[in-house]
Amino acid sequence: MGPSGTIDFSKWWVKESWSSSSRKGNPVVVTMENPNYSVVEIDAPDSAFQPLDKERGKNAKQFTWLLLLKAHRVVGGLAWLGNSLCSLLHAVKKRLFLGHVETEMSAKAKFLFRVILTFLVMALAFLFFELIAHFKGWHYFHNHNLHLPQTSEFTGWFHTAYVRWLEFRADYVAPPMQSLSTFCIILFLIQSVDRILLCLGCFWIKFRKIKPLIDGDPLNSHDLEGSNQGYPMVLVQIPMCNEKEVYEQSISAVSQLDWPKDRLLIQVLDDSDDESIQWLIKGEVSKWSQRGVNIIYRHRKFRTGYKAGNLKSAMSCDYVKDYEFVAIFDADFQPNPDFLKKTVPHFKGNPELALVQARWAFVNKDENLLTRLQNVNLCFHFEVEQQVNGVFLNFFGFNGTAGVWRIKALEESGGWLERTTVEDMDIAVRAHLNGWKFIYLNDVKVLCELPESYEAYRKQQHRWHSGPMQLFRLCLPAIITSKIAFWKKANLIFLFFLLRKLILPFYSFTLFCIILPLTMFVPEAELPIWVICYIPVFLSFLNILPAPKSFPFIVPYLLFENTMSVTKFNAMVSGLFQLGSSYEWIVTKKAGRSSEPDLLAAEERDSKAMSLQLHRGTSDSGLSELNKIKECQETVPKPPVKKMNKIYKKELALAFLLLTAALRSLLSAQGMHFYYLLFQGVSFLLVGLDLIGEQMN
């Protein structure tokens, strides 16, 4: 009974709850955030006030083991980071001391590197000022408005220098930076609108199922058996230069085209300067010639004009006048046997048609991260740009291969010229100015190969972006004085050349690689978050739509495209101002991969079966030639197992600039800027060390 005469059940209730909780339920361990924490075991409403027993020691030990386990995990994570850093430093050491590093740089490349290095030194100096100001509490830009301290606030010469720098930054540095960033944002928006319109045009084509069709039976396949009068005369050209890895499969694929042999001639145009490779190609041509294929081998003594000079020399042969069309395949391209039957019939009844272009398909698109990212870009180029321009404008840039030309259109447009490294785009522009039309076939695909190393890809992109600017300088007067419609002139000048070949690399490099990191040190010149994040991500989604399987790589794609802007900007400047590297042509290194190993194995077995017949049917001179080919095959040295990649100084300098800007963004608590600059800096670092294709498989 209680003092007031009521029954007190508290002791009984506590006792019962204590006994029941000991039979069922799990104890709850509460850990306090305060360093002076205590471990309390709560088993019942009043259990906190119960006397301690021996079970408390066990729970405290379990808690200690839990802390030790978490500490072990943290140490393991730090060890993993350390191992990763050591691996990266080891790769850097190998490239610095064991690899082949370029020692000779052009004056233009040195100038660009010095500019980037200057920005890096300035950024480090700015960061030094900002760090000291941050730790001393000199926060004058909470609202991005300059606060001039009073005389009593000056505490020393460093503080005075810092305030003078703030005044100078607000009055003289920020305004031109803000104007340049606004200009780049306008260009960025214009280019974004162009991408959106291209995607809408592609959607309309898919929705309406628009594609070029063949009317009737232009080849007259129902004629009497043995009559090939419906098949026009077609010349097939395979230009190559030191293509040891891919010459065999390309010649094999072209030799198996389904076309009457008396209406087809194959020219293997070899510009190789290695005599052993010449003999190998001659042997492959001889093999198919013995099988009844109308194929010839041509080699120039002087390799002038690169690919354009090679094609021009081949078109000067007297027998070319007997042919109506010419199909061109680079050395790594493998057309299907029905390629000509799907492309040549489009010319019948269409006298204004000059070119039928097929789409590229890649045998090694899943080889490594670099090939996956290239596949995204090229899928958008073919699926969207080429298809939309072909349907709505009847004009696009010839891709240099996997296309069929009307020889009359080539001749009337001036033929192949050696004035640029983009002879394919050159002949396409001149044919368009003469009133010829083009057709793009998205459903006709030709197998080819993507560069698997960053070095090869970088050289290819340099040629692809310097050549158009060089061509723009040469073609601008002809475009202005041509007789085509005004809107076609505007499309060529503003869209085809300026927007997609000049503006894109300019704003991408200037805005995301220079202005963005500098805004971390000059907060008065701001970049809106939608410029940094929202619109680039949206455009990346649009670019990746034609290759939906590449969606997991959307973030690396966005970062890598910004990283490649250094190479593209460099190439654009060299082509626009006719600098030394604008006429540089380096054959893209290939690995000789094929997506149909079973067919190649069957072809190899067939070749072995035919070898006896070849030796019996040849003369003494033929036998000696085959023996010489065999000797060359045995004497050709095998390529090294692994080649040391290069270090790219400009990319490394920009990597440290972006990482420095990321550190500065932490002081201003700009989270989105920090993550973007950090990841972009790591992307530049990987590319600068040339790790993207080698170690990110």
Side-chain angles (χ1 to χ4, degrees):
M1 299 285 292
S4 59
T6 60
I7 301 176
D8 186 4
F9 293 98
S10 60
K11 294 182 179 180
W12 173 82
W13 181 81
V14 170
K15 181 179 180 180
E16 290 294 323
S17 61
W18 175 263
S19 60
S20 62
S21 64
S22 64
R23 292 191 300 269
K24 60 181 181 179
N26 296 323
V28 180
V29 178
V30 180
T31 304
M32 305 301 292
E33 295 289 337
N34 196 308
N36 299 321
Y37 62 85
S38 60
V39 180
V40 182
E41 182 182 47
I42 303 176
D43 287 325
D46 293 333
S47 61
F49 304 96
Q50 298 295 330
L52 297 174
D53 55 11
K54 295 182 179 180
E55 295 296 324
R56 304 294 181 90
K58 294 182 179 180
N59 289 330
K61 291 180 180 179
Q62 292 175 359
F63 178 72
T64 303
W65 282 107
L66 180 62
L67 290 179
L68 290 175
L69 179 61
K70 291 185 176 180
H72 180 267
R73 291 178 178 176
V74 171
V75 172
L78 293 176
W80 178 82
L81 290 176
N83 290 334
S84 301
L85 181 60
C86 289
S87 300
L88 183 61
L89 294 177
H90 180 64
V92 175
K93 180 180 177 181
K94 287 171 61 179
R95 282 158 175 74
L96 281 174
F97 299 104
L98 302 178
H100 172 68
V101 182
E102 287 181 320
T103 56
E104 295 184 359
M105 298 174 63
S106 63
K108 171 190 60 61
K110 289 181 180 179
F111 175 75
L112 182 59
F113 173 68
R114 288 170 182 169
V115 169
I116 297 174
L117 199 60
T118 302
F119 278 117
L120 176 59
V121 173
M122 291 171 55
L124 290 173
F126 296 160
L127 181 63
F128 176 74
F129 269 97
E130 295 292 341
L131 283 174
I132 295 179
H134 177 77
F135 288 117
K136 286 183 174 292
W138 301 338
H139 307 303
Y140 299 133
F141 281 92
H142 292 296
N143 298 319
H144 294 176
N145 294 318
L146 179 62
H147 166 67
L148 296 178
Q150 303 299 322
T151 306
S152 59
E153 298 181 49
F154 288 90
T155 58
W157 66 269
F158 189 85
H159 188 274
T160 304
Y162 180 67
V163 173
R164 292 291 180 265
W165 157 244
L166 295 182
E167 294 176 346
F168 178 79
R169 188 177 75 185
D171 294 337
Y172 300 102
V173 179
M177 275 190 58
Q178 189 66 57
S179 301
L180 181 59
S181 63
T182 303
F183 177 67
C184 291
I185 290 173
I186 294 174
L187 298 180
F188 181 33
L189 292 177
I190 294 175
Q191 197 268 339
S192 302
V193 171
D194 176 62
R195 288 295 176 99
I196 294 173
L197 292 178
L198 286 174
C199 291
L200 291 176
C202 182
F203 173 77
W204 180 256
I205 292 172
K206 298 293 184 184
F207 178 73
R208 298 298 300 270
K209 298 180 180 179
I210 302 173
K211 65 177 182 179
L213 299 176
I214 301 175
D215 296 331
D217 186 11
L219 298 178
N220 298 325
S221 59
H222 297 292
D223 287 351
L224 296 177
E225 186 177 356
S227 175
N228 296 324
Q229 296 303 318
Y231 292 85
M233 300 287 287
V234 178
L235 178 68
V236 180
Q237 296 177 334
I238 313 176
M240 59 178 65
C241 179
N242 297 324
E243 307 280 2
K244 179 179 179 295
E245 296 80 10
V246 294
Y247 76 92
E248 187 174 2
Q249 62 192 38
S250 62
I251 295 176
S252 174
V254 172
S255 298
Q256 298 180 62
L257 288 172
D258 186 10
W259 201 257
K261 298 185 184 302
D262 59 334
R263 316 291 289 181
L264 180 70
L265 173 63
I266 301 173
Q267 286 182 318
V268 178
L269 311 176
D270 183 24
D271 263 4
S272 303
D273 53 9
D274 189 334
E275 187 176 356
S276 62
I277 298 178
Q278 296 176 21
W279 281 107
L280 293 175
I281 298 175
K282 285 181 181 179
E284 187 68 16
V285 171
S286 176
K287 180 181 73 175
W288 287 102
S289 179
Q290 292 292 334
R291 297 187 183 185
V293 177
N294 193 11
I295 182 172
I296 60 175
Y297 174 86
R298 279 182 54 88
H299 181 266
R300 295 191 301 163
K301 293 183 178 180
F302 303 100
R303 186 177 176 241
T304 58
Y306 303 113
K307 182 180 176 181
N310 199 0
L311 295 173
K312 181 179 180 181
S313 174
M315 294 298 294
S316 64
C317 298
D318 294 335
Y319 53 79
V320 172
K321 64 179 182 296
D322 298 328
Y323 293 85
E324 187 176 357
F325 305 104
V326 56
I328 303 173
F329 299 100
D330 283 351
D332 60 316
F333 279 71
Q334 307 170 53
N336 291 327
D338 60 352
F339 175 83
L340 293 179
K341 289 188 175 181
K342 288 184 176 181
T343 54
V344 174
H346 286 277
F347 290 96
K348 187 67 176 292
N350 197 353
E352 296 180 348
L353 182 61
L355 169 67
V356 176
Q357 173 72 61
R359 180 174 177 171
W360 298 2
F362 310 107
V363 299
N364 61 337
K365 61 182 179 181
D366 297 325
E367 182 65 24
N368 55 38
L369 179 61
L370 179 61
T371 58
R372 293 177 186 272
L373 301 181
Q374 291 180 70
N375 180 59
V376 173
N377 253 344
L378 290 173
C379 281
F380 182 86
H381 170 71
F382 286 107
E383 186 82 17
V384 180
E385 290 181 351
Q386 296 285 76
Q387 189 169 208
V388 170
N389 291 329
V391 169
F392 294 103
L393 301 177
N394 295 121
F395 167 72
F396 47 83
F398 175 46
N399 298 122
T401 178
V404 182
W405 276 91
R406 190 189 296 271
I407 294 180
K408 179 181 178 182
L410 287 176
E411 294 173 348
E412 291 186 357
S413 302
W416 300 105
L417 299 182
E418 305 168 6
R419 55 182 182 173
T420 68
T421 57
V422 285
E423 74 294 328
D424 46 7
M425 185 181 294
D426 187 3
I427 188 62
V429 170
R430 286 184 280 118
H432 181 58
L433 295 179
N434 286 335
W436 292 97
K437 296 181 179 180
F438 304 162
I439 283 180
Y440 173 73
L441 303 179
N442 191 56
D443 55 346
V444 179
K445 300 180 180 180
V446 181
L447 294 176
C448 61
E449 185 178 323
L450 291 168
E452 296 182 7
S453 68
Y454 177 69
E455 180 184 354
Y457 179 63
R458 184 174 180 267
K459 291 177 180 178
Q460 181 195 70
Q461 291 300 305
H462 185 277
R463 176 165 51 88
W464 286 5
H465 286 82
S466 64
M469 287 296 95
Q470 189 180 16
L471 178 63
F472 178 65
R473 290 170 52 98
L474 298 173
C475 286
L476 184 59
I479 295 174
I480 296 175
T481 59
S482 65
K483 298 180 181 180
I484 61 175
F486 175 78
W487 67 271
K488 291 185 178 181
K489 295 181 182 180
N491 171 70
L492 273 175
I493 296 175
F494 296 107
L495 293 182
F496 186 76
F497 280 112
L498 292 182
L499 184 61
R500 296 166 188 167
K501 303 297 188 299
L502 187 147
I503 290 177
L504 177 59
F506 170 77
Y507 86 76
S508 182
F509 173 77
T510 307
L511 187 63
F512 294 104
C513 300
I514 299 298
I515 295 179
L516 177 58
L518 289 184
T519 54
M520 296 298 99
F521 306 100
V522 186
E524 298 86 354
E526 287 187 313
L527 282 179
I529 193 66
W530 54 268
V531 174
I532 302 170
C533 180
Y534 301 140
I535 290 186
V537 171
F538 175 70
L539 291 180
S540 298
F541 270 108
L542 293 182
N543 288 357
I544 216 165
L545 280 178
K549 293 183 179 179
S550 301
F551 266 105
F553 303 97
I554 185 170
V555 174
Y557 169 75
L558 175 61
L559 297 175
F560 184 66
E561 278 302 292
N562 286 342
T563 306
M564 282 303 300
S565 64
V566 182
T567 298
K568 296 177 181 178
F569 177 81
N570 191 4
M572 181 268 292
V573 172
S574 66
L576 188 63
F577 296 101
Q578 297 284 74
L579 300 178
S581 60
S582 62
Y583 201 67
E584 180 183 8
W585 180 294
I586 299 177
V587 178
T588 305
K589 186 67 176 177
K590 305 174 183 69
R593 301 188 183 275
S594 176
S595 63
E596 300 182 11
D598 294 336
L599 292 179
L600 291 179
E603 173 62 26
E604 184 178 356
R605 291 193 299 269
D606 190 23
S607 300
K608 291 181 179 179
M610 291 289 293
S611 61
L612 180 60
Q613 181 179 354
L614 280 172
H615 284 281
R616 288 178 178 176
T618 53
S619 62
D620 293 339
S621 60
L623 285 173
S624 61
E625 182 177 349
L626 289 175
N627 290 332
K628 192 169 184 179
I629 293 169
K630 186 176 180 181
E631 292 176 0
C632 289
Q633 290 176 338
E634 295 175 352
T635 56
V636 171
K638 294 183 179 180
V641 178
K642 186 177 181 181
K643 180 184 177 182
M644 195 62 60
N645 294 351
K646 297 181 180 180
I647 289 182
Y648 298 98
K649 297 180 180 179
K650 293 188 291 293
E651 284 79 358
L652 285 178
L654 278 171
F656 291 118
L657 173 62
L658 290 163
L659 293 175
T660 304
L663 181 60
R664 172 61 182 86
S665 66
L666 286 177
L667 301 180
S668 55
Q670 294 178 309
M672 185 63 69
H673 292 72
F674 168 72
Y675 289 115
Y676 176 85
L677 291 167
L678 176 64
F679 291 132
Q680 188 65 71
V682 172
S683 177
F684 268 103
L685 187 63
L686 293 175
V687 170
L689 297 175
D690 199 0
L691 294 171
I692 190 143
E694 180 182 345
Q695 297 186 4
M696 298 188 68
N697 294 341

